[in-house]
Structures are given as C-alpha cells and as structure tokens.
Amino acid sequence: MTHDPSDKTFHPSRRGLLGVAAVTGAASLAPGVLIGTTAATAALAEASEPASSRSVDASASTIAAKLPSPVPGYLSFGPDEAGFVETMVNVMCPADALTPNGVDCGLAVYIDRQLAGGFGEGARLYMRGPWQEGTPELGYQLPLTPEQFFKAGLAAADTACQKQYGKRFSEMDESGADKFLQELSGGKVTDERVPLGSWFNKLVYPLFVEACFADPIYGGNVGKVFWKAIGYPGLPAVHAQDMIDFRGKPFPGAADPKSIADFA
C-alpha cells in the first residue's frame, strides 16, 4: 500500500478518527512497554489495576484471543524505538469492548513495515533539494527519507519527554503519555533540529490512521477488526450497485469483510 500524505492533525479525542464506530476505552497502559511482549505487559497491567477497570480489559482480551497474532519482529525499529511506538499506538488505540490495544491490532507492525519499505526509503520522493521551507500543503521539506525523519523525531520526542517529565515516553502512564501526545500535536513540544509538530501531524498520525484501516496484509488491522467496527466490506471494490440497493441499510457483506489475502 502506498502512503498518502495528509495534513490532518491529531484529533483531541484518541478515538475521534474512528467516528461513530469507536468507543473510548478506559484501559491503563503498564509502564515500560516491552517489544513483542504485549501479553506480559497486559498481565502486569491487570495485576496493578483495580477490579473495576478490568471489565473493559476482559472484553478486549476476548476479542484479542480471536484475532490472528500480529507479525512478530520489527524490520526498522530498534528496541527503544519500538518501545516508544508501542506505547504510542496503545494510547491512541486503547483496548475497549470493540478492539484490543494498538499493538495487538498490528498498528506498530504496520508502521514498521512501511518505514522499512519503499515509502520509508523515499522511493517516490524527490530528494535532491533545495531544502527550503514550503507551504503546509507541500509537507515537510527536509533532506531526510520518511524513515530517517520518523526515527529522528522519535529520538527528539523521547528526549523532550525526559526533560519535561523525567521519564522516557515508554515509561509514562496512559494519562501522561496521552498528554504528551496532545502537546506534540499542538506544537508545544519543540526541538532545535526536528520540527516535532510537523513530524507528528504529517508523518506519525497519517501512518497511524493507515495502520487502522489498511488491508491486513500490510500488518495492521489484524483480523480486519477496524473494518468490522465501521462496517466496511473490504474487497472486491465493486460495490456500485450495492451502494444503491443498501443505501441507509446495513450491508450483509460487512459482517465478513474480504482482504486481498482472501483472493490470493
């Protein structure tokens, strides 16, 4: 799937992007998210949470148990980078009665795969400069590939988080991490070398949205969980007559959406 740059900024509500299909979750995030250890992290979180908060976790765990496991391992992220991204997607996609957390939905894997591929390498970008500040519609203007920009932003954001809160981002609790992401999106977190507002709103957030709704073959949207949440039938993309016949009505095919893999 080819990345489509977007100028949309991070919505104040973590679940705003999912529209009417999403319900804000109340699950807490265990400090120090570990690479590829979502199950262990969930167990630690459950042990430290009051019983009243576990009903949502139980629903999410039930859904997660029915989903395929995200593809293991990362191709681009190192340990610290993966810790930041896993914490971030779990805050932006908290576990609730509709979906498991962002890691279990494959969101971190999707972002990693995009950065490790042609998009991350800047295969379709003009990379010869001149490097001048452009209008917002032109996106960021830096001599960096998307992968390089993403990693530079991760390092700068993590450093800023440590300076401001005395903790790495992956060590923040859910409330603190959410607040920091809001500050990033609002341009309140600055770095002398990396434009962190542009980094988050024009690179990180669009990748997050893509991870939610892309075909599962790209690593995210595990089990088509987001397609099912919004009633999207997937492929084949030949629903012209269906749009007429079922306008304003539930579409039967949405209960069993089809991925590219289903036709392979």
Side-chain angles (χ1 to χ4, degrees), residues 7-240:
D7 289 331
K8 294 183 179 179
T9 57
F10 182 47
H11 196 285
S13 170
R14 291 169 293 162
R15 281 295 178 108
L17 69 100
L18 297 179
V20 297
V23 179
T24 301
S28 296
L29 189 65
V33 175
L34 307 177
I35 293 181
T37 58
T38 304
T41 301
L44 290 174
E46 181 178 358
S48 63
E49 289 177 351
S52 60
S53 69
R54 296 181 188 174
S55 58
V56 171
D57 289 344
S59 297
S61 297
T62 300
I63 298 172
K66 298 178 181 179
L67 297 181
S69 298
V71 179
Y74 292 117
L75 302 179
S76 177
F77 297 147
D80 292 340
E81 294 164 340
F84 189 112
V85 173
E86 288 189 352
T87 302
M88 179 179 69
V89 299
N90 280 347
V91 170
M92 295 171 71
C93 176
D96 62 16
L98 293 178
T99 68
N101 62 37
V103 172
D104 286 337
C105 289
L107 307 188
V109 170
Y110 175 91
I111 295 172
D112 172 79
R113 297 299 189 267
Q114 290 296 302
L115 295 176
F119 165 72
E121 296 170 356
R124 300 182 64 181
L125 298 179
Y126 181 80
M127 297 295 297
R128 297 185 181 181
W131 313 110
Q132 301 175 353
E133 184 175 355
T135 62
E137 292 77 14
L138 297 178
Y140 72 88
Q141 302 292 307
L142 296 172
L144 300 174
T145 65
E147 181 184 35
Q148 291 169 337
F149 186 30
F150 194 97
K151 288 173 173 281
L154 285 180
D158 210 22
T159 297
C161 187
Q162 291 181 69
K163 288 182 178 179
Q164 186 169 345
Y165 295 104
K167 297 179 181 180
R168 304 194 66 164
F169 182 71
S170 60
E171 298 170 341
M172 300 282 280
D173 61 20
E174 186 212 15
S175 177
D178 183 51
K179 179 181 179 183
F180 183 71
L181 293 180
Q182 298 283 354
E183 292 170 344
L184 273 175
S185 70
K188 298 178 181 179
V189 182
T190 59
D191 182 87
E192 293 181 356
R193 297 168 298 175
V194 182
L196 287 174
S198 177
W199 170 77
F200 186 85
N201 291 317
K202 299 190 178 187
L203 179 61
V204 177
Y205 185 65
L207 280 171
F208 169 79
V209 175
E210 288 179 9
C212 291
F213 297 108
D215 192 288
I217 67 168
Y218 299 105
N221 192 20
V222 171
K224 310 164 191 171
V225 62
F226 294 101
W227 286 359
K228 293 174 182 177
I230 64 173
Y232 177 65
L235 296 178
V238 288
H239 296 294

